[in-house]
Amino acid sequence: PFLLAPALNAIMGQRLVRRICENCKQEITLEKEQLDRVTQILNAIPDGHPDKPDLTTMKFHKGVGCDTCHGIGYKGRIGIYEIMIMTPEIEKMILGGRVSEYDMQEIGIKNGMLTMAQDGILKALKGITSVDEVFRVSE
């Protein structure tokens, strides 16, 4: 722990999600269960965060399949990320030897970190990927 804490600047996680094909992208309506889950994930973003979306105007998309994407609905990939910047509070936790993934994540979120699922849903709101794809890779 005494070597790890001062050596870290940030901790990053990433997953690749498929991009919706721009040629056959269509707006969709999410099922209630998915919409509830999306709303719960986005509500966890603190008020005042620059990436907090307006939950009343959410639009989602999916690819229906075409010749360009060979009928898949996706073409290409993009990363979804979570980046936790090292803070004195996290450093103290590591040095104290009581490191918990959940405690570190809680501190990161308190300091403005977006989770991978939140980053993915934000990209789904921009029409880059689909909600199904985000849930597929972030579970």
Side-chain angles (χ1 to χ4, degrees), residues 80-127:
I80 57 173
Y81 307 94
E82 61 185 21
I83 302 170
M84 183 175 66
I85 306 299
M86 183 59 87
T87 64
E89 193 174 358
I90 294 171
E91 188 172 349
K92 213 180 286 184
M93 180 187 295
I94 293 171
L95 288 171
R98 52 178 183 79
V99 181
S100 161
E101 172 188 353
Y102 302 107
D103 291 342
M104 288 178 69
Q105 184 176 19
E106 186 179 311
I107 293 169
I109 290 169
K110 184 177 77 175
N111 289 310
M113 178 186 89
L114 290 177
T115 66
M116 214 176 298
Q118 290 168 337
D119 185 42
I121 297 297
L122 290 171
K123 286 179 176 156
L125 282 170
K126 293 176 184 172

Side-chain angles (χ1 to χ4, degrees), residues 42-94:
L42 293 178
N43 274 332
I45 300 174
D47 291 333
H49 193 285
D51 293 321
K52 178 105 180 185
D54 179 5
L55 300 180
T56 61
T57 61
M58 297 190 297
K59 292 182 183 178
F60 297 98
H61 300 83
K62 80 177 225 178
V64 293
C66 65
D67 290 339
T68 304
C69 62
H70 305 290
I72 299 171
Y74 296 100
K75 187 150 181 73
R77 295 185 183 268
I78 190 169
I80 57 173
Y81 307 94
E82 61 185 21
I83 302 170
M84 183 175 66
I85 306 299
M86 183 59 87
T87 64
E89 193 174 358
I90 294 171
E91 188 172 349
K92 213 180 286 184
M93 180 187 295
I94 293 171

Side-chain angles (χ1 to χ4, degrees), residues 2-23:
F2 72 93
L3 290 174
L4 182 62
L8 286 175
N9 291 326
I11 301 166
M12 182 177 114
Q14 87 172 20
R15 297 281 186 279
L16 291 176
V17 293
R18 296 177 291 180
R19 286 179 170 266
I20 297 173
C21 175
E22 290 295 325
N23 198 46

